[in-house]
Amino acid sequence: MYLKKTKNKKGRIHLSIVDSYYDKEKKYDRQVTIESLGYLDELEKEYDDPIAHFKKRVEELKKAKAAQKEPIQLELSPNEKIKKKKDYRKNFGHVILSQLYHQLQLDTFWKNRARRRSFAFDPNIIFKLLIFTRLLYPGSKAKSFASRSLFFERNTFELADVYRALTFFHEKKDDLLKWLHNQVTSQYGRDTTRVFYDVTNYYFESDTIDETDMRRKGVSKEHRPNPIVQMGLFMDNQGIPITYQLFPGNTNDCMTYRPNLKKLKLDYGIKRAVVVADKGMTTGDNIWFTLSAKDGYVFSMSVRGANKELKEYVKNEADYQWVGKEYKRKSRLYPRDILVTAKNGSKMKKQVHEKQVVFWSAKYAKKAKYEREKVIQKAKALMENPGAYKRATSVGASNYIKDIAFDKTTGEILTPKKQLHLNEKKIQEQEALDGYYVLITSEYREADDAIIDMYRGLWQIEETFRITKSDLEARPVYVSRKEHIEAHFLTCFVSLVLARILQVESDGKHSVANLLDSLRQAECTELTQNYYLFDYYDDILEELGTKFHIDFSKRYRKLGEIKKILGKTKKGSISR
């Protein structure tokens, strides 16, 4: 900003205060008039020394501009046209994600790993783009590349570079997971004495099956016919994921547990962990493996699939302790025989001494009754019109029908309509067990309520899988090569870690979906003279702004200020 003198044709000198800015489109500095002061000969009648007076005014304006206290004058042309394919719109919410990304020193990890590699691209920049887009604008890798201009980040790479980088990311997967674990442990006090485990699967866009690879036909959690890949995930008690492994889509859920637990302990140096998991992991092999490794378990057990003795114990009202009118619990120490697979494939009987905790909830009982009633209604519809159903479409409902038979080849129902009847005895038996849960655990010294609380922590891992599938859109999977599939889920996993940490930083007051939605809507539009107009603000942005020391309520910002904020996030100097 300076005092400008302009001489007209008659020789009169006109004074004005002007400012300059860099025009990104035309690649040169442009000027804008801040104040038009008048002609020097007229000003000399009012001021003893107009030049000195207005130079002081320039200095005042410079200080005010630096403090951003004075109004800004922008030159807007009513005839200005929109330039084709110019990206006027930018996201500003990613400054929070940038803070978390650099707080975990992910940039340092990639810069160190790429130091001796002759890449034509920067792996850190591409990885960061894949994380930001997965969190804010999820989609395929091509969509992520197309969204790169939405961020105030360097994007000097091509789409082909993104796919080349995926191979490198896969190569460094295990190193990155260990790095991430160490960062989370040091910064958030991760406790691995209790961990949660569960399995889900993700379907592919393509119907192609790789018989020697990941894409295989299996039991889809979403009941889709597409090939799937299995993921086994460990999570800590803050809801932050620890690590994961991928398995071919036809791998049984329970078979993922042992290799995953072994790798978890080996990679992260964990001496002993108590694993909390659902009934899908409750096999003799998994229990014996856990105990042999000197670890502990809290598993649920199917009440309806239990033996007669356990069912009678559950239904026996003796020893239950009521908490209010809608909840009761009891427990016992009980030796139980399990079957364990020997090295030669034969089954051996082993006895384990464990604590069995039973609890009943009126809420769970109502839920079970409601869900069963829906299936019974479907069973009745099937009996009325068996020709409209096949084995695949009658899953669940056929369990409540007596003596129903299916053609092994076509899956069609063979039993005539007049021979189909509801299995009333089975319905009554299930009703008697509504609302009951059985937990089995090696931790017999723990109080009943402590065991139940551990098990209830599993809801966080179930929610985590929902986040990956809905908010992060981890499926369908569009890539096909094994290393690209692995890299895809690596970026999904790291994105999930950042999302969960964001939730921890916000004291768990908001869902991941709401947090990401606010950051997504924190956008701005380029005006002129490198100024951007912001048009969204809410309670979440206000809270995050307070936490991370960023004012999301500002209506206007200059590009230089935005870059300065981003620069601070890369030094980890905003919130910590």
Side-chain angles (χ1 to χ4, degrees):
M1 191 180 299
Y2 63 96
L3 184 66
K4 183 179 181 180
K5 304 174 186 177
T6 307
K7 185 180 291 187
N8 66 10
K9 292 179 180 180
K10 295 181 179 180
R12 295 182 73 191
I13 297 175
H14 187 274
L15 298 183
S16 58
I17 298 175
V18 300
D19 199 1
S20 60
Y21 67 95
Y22 182 72
D23 190 318
K24 295 184 295 180
E25 298 295 326
K26 298 185 178 180
K27 307 295 183 185
Y28 63 76
D29 288 335
R30 297 189 65 178
Q31 293 180 346
V32 58
T33 300
I34 302 300
E35 292 182 8
S36 180
L37 304 174
Y39 287 102
L40 182 59
D41 55 353
E42 295 291 335
L43 294 171
E44 285 174 339
K45 297 175 183 178
E46 186 175 352
Y47 303 98
D48 293 335
D49 188 348
I51 300 297
H53 175 83
F54 287 110
K55 280 185 177 180
K56 289 182 180 179
R57 172 62 178 161
V58 169
E59 294 304 315
E60 291 172 358
L61 289 173
K62 284 182 178 179
K63 291 179 181 179
K65 180 182 178 182
Q68 296 184 337
K69 294 179 179 179
E70 288 292 318
I72 300 166
Q73 294 184 15
L74 301 178
E75 289 185 346
L76 300 175
S77 173
N79 297 320
E80 185 177 357
K81 303 293 185 181
I82 297 175
K83 295 180 176 62
K84 292 181 179 179
K85 297 184 178 181
K86 175 176 169 57
D87 299 303
Y88 293 92
R89 196 76 171 158
K90 298 281 187 182
N91 177 272
F92 183 67
H94 72 281
V95 297
I96 301 293
L97 303 181
S98 179
Q99 168 68 18
L100 299 179
Y101 185 93
H102 291 89
Q103 188 171 293
L104 296 172
Q105 299 183 43
L106 293 170
D107 58 321
T108 301
F109 175 87
W110 289 118
K111 287 173 183 176
N112 289 344
R113 299 308 183 280
R115 186 166 293 160
R116 298 181 180 179
R117 308 293 281 267
S118 56
F119 292 127
F121 53 86
D122 186 334
N124 175 56
I125 292 175
I126 293 178
F127 193 79
K128 190 190 301 185
L129 170 75
L130 295 178
I131 299 302
F132 290 178
T133 52
R134 180 60 53 192
L135 287 163
L136 300 179
Y137 307 99
S140 66
K141 301 299 174 285
K143 182 181 177 182
S144 293
F145 176 76
S147 302
R148 67 195 185 283
S149 61
L150 283 167
F151 306 103
F152 292 99
E153 298 278 351
R154 287 191 296 131
N155 53 38
T156 53
F157 53 87
E158 301 298 327
L159 178 58
D161 294 328
V162 174
Y163 290 103
R164 293 187 188 102
L166 291 179
T167 302
F168 181 56
F169 298 155
H170 166 56
E171 178 187 327
K172 299 300 179 183
K173 171 193 166 185
D174 286 344
D175 286 347
L176 179 61
L177 293 179
K178 292 175 188 176
W179 175 282
L180 203 56
H181 168 69
N182 291 335
Q183 293 295 326
V184 173
T185 300
S186 64
Q187 296 183 38
Y188 293 94
R190 167 173 279 166
D191 179 9
T192 53
T193 57
R194 183 195 310 166
V195 296
F196 300 84
Y197 185 72
D198 204 355
V199 180
T200 193
N201 47 56
Y202 301 85
Y203 69 89
F204 288 83
E205 179 71 10
S206 169
D207 287 332
T208 304
I209 299 174
D210 299 326
E211 291 300 333
T212 59
D213 224 335
M214 292 292 184
R215 292 185 298 184
R216 304 288 290 271
K217 292 283 187 177
V219 181
S220 170
K221 307 285 186 182
E222 300 173 76
H223 309 293
R224 287 179 173 270
N226 311 62
I228 57 174
V229 62
Q230 294 276 71
M231 174 190 280
L233 180 79
F234 276 105
M235 184 191 76
D236 66 21
N237 56 14
Q238 294 184 87
I240 303 174
I242 303 173
T243 190
Y244 73 97
Q245 278 197 75
L246 297 182
F247 299 87
N250 60 349
T251 306
N252 191 296
D253 286 5
C254 66
M255 299 299 291
T256 69
Y257 174 82
R258 297 189 293 280
N260 234 341
L261 179 58
K262 182 178 180 180
K263 185 171 174 57
L264 171 78
K265 294 188 66 181
L266 183 65
D267 285 354
Y268 302 146
I270 298 172
K271 293 182 179 179
R272 185 180 191 270
V274 176
V275 184
V276 184
D278 224 330
K279 58 181 176 289
M281 301 303 122
T282 310
T283 67
D285 286 339
N286 285 346
I287 289 173
W288 196 251
F289 178 87
T290 305
L291 294 175
S292 300
K294 309 300 182 185
D295 294 310
Y297 62 89
V298 176
F299 292 163
S300 65
M301 177 182 281
S302 172
V303 183
R304 295 188 174 93
N307 60 34
K308 183 178 179 181
E309 191 280 333
L310 181 55
K311 286 181 179 178
E312 291 303 318
Y313 174 71
V314 169
K315 291 187 288 184
N316 188 340
E317 285 296 324
D319 300 325
Y320 273 111
Q321 292 182 324
W322 284 88
V323 181
K325 296 181 179 181
E326 297 194 340
Y327 179 78
K328 61 182 178 180
R329 52 166 159 62
K330 68 177 178 178
S331 67
R332 65 179 181 177
L333 297 177
Y334 196 81
R336 188 168 64 92
D337 290 334
I338 60 174
L339 292 177
V340 180
T341 307
K343 289 183 178 180
N344 62 5
S346 63
K347 294 292 183 180
M348 303 181 295
K349 186 179 288 188
K350 299 283 186 178
Q351 189 175 79
V352 293
H353 295 266
E354 60 191 11
K355 184 176 187 178
Q356 296 177 344
V357 181
V358 182
F359 68 94
W360 176 87
S361 164
K363 178 182 176 182
Y364 294 155
K366 291 175 183 176
K367 181 182 178 184
K369 182 177 181 179
Y370 172 75
E371 291 178 347
R372 184 176 55 253
E373 187 57 36
K374 288 194 299 183
V375 180
I376 291 174
Q377 291 302 318
K378 181 178 178 180
K380 290 178 178 178
L382 185 155
M383 290 188 298
E384 284 295 320
N385 187 13
Y389 293 85
K390 292 187 177 183
R391 181 188 292 274
T393 56
S394 63
V395 174
S398 60
N399 293 332
Y400 292 107
I401 301 174
K402 284 184 177 181
D403 304 322
I404 189 169
F406 297 91
D407 186 289
K408 293 182 179 180
T409 304
T410 65
E412 294 179 349
I413 297 173
L414 300 176
T415 314
K417 175 180 176 181
K418 62 182 180 180
Q419 295 179 16
L420 294 175
H421 302 283
L422 279 178
N423 191 334
E424 298 288 353
K425 183 180 178 181
K426 184 173 185 178
I427 293 173
Q428 290 174 4
E429 289 174 350
Q430 290 197 355
E431 285 177 343
L433 296 171
D434 281 351
Y436 286 99
Y437 280 77
V438 175
L439 305 180
I440 55 174
T441 179
S442 58
E443 309 306 288
Y444 59 90
R445 291 188 179 92
E446 292 283 355
D448 294 355
D449 288 340
I451 296 298
I452 294 169
D453 285 343
M454 286 185 202
Y455 177 71
R456 284 176 174 161
L458 270 176
W459 72 268
Q460 290 192 90
I461 202 166
E462 293 169 358
E463 182 191 46
T464 293
F465 284 141
R466 286 195 296 271
I467 291 169
T468 62
K469 292 184 178 183
S470 56
D471 302 317
L472 306 187
E473 295 183 20
R475 84 299 183 250
V477 183
Y478 294 97
V479 290
S480 56
R481 289 170 55 182
K482 185 178 186 296
E483 61 267 30
H484 290 179
I485 294 170
E486 291 275 10
H488 166 73
F489 283 103
L490 178 64
T491 58
C492 290
F493 177 84
V494 176
S495 300
L496 184 61
V497 171
L498 262 66
R500 281 302 200 184
I501 288 177
L502 180 62
Q503 201 172 27
V504 170
E505 293 279 15
S506 61
D507 301 321
K509 292 192 293 184
H510 306 287
S511 68
V512 167
N514 288 341
L515 287 165
L516 296 181
D517 185 58
S518 291
L519 294 182
R520 186 181 303 112
Q521 294 191 72
E523 294 184 328
C524 55
T525 302
E526 183 181 349
L527 295 175
T528 185
Q529 299 167 217
N530 291 334
Y531 277 96
Y532 285 81
L533 170 67
F534 294 76
D535 52 23
Y536 183 79
Y537 190 54
D538 62 17
D539 291 340
I540 290 179
L541 291 176
E542 182 179 24
E543 292 174 22
L544 291 177
T546 301
K547 174 69 180 181
F548 291 91
H549 309 298
I550 299 173
D551 186 359
F552 282 96
S553 69
K554 287 194 69 172
R555 191 87 162 102
Y556 305 97
R557 270 196 173 96
K558 201 164 186 178
L559 180 60
E561 182 189 354
I562 294 171
K563 288 187 173 181
K564 185 176 180 180
I565 292 171
L566 272 170
K568 286 183 177 180
T569 69
K570 295 172 183 179
K571 297 176 183 178
S573 59
I574 284 187
S575 68
R576 290 178 178 248

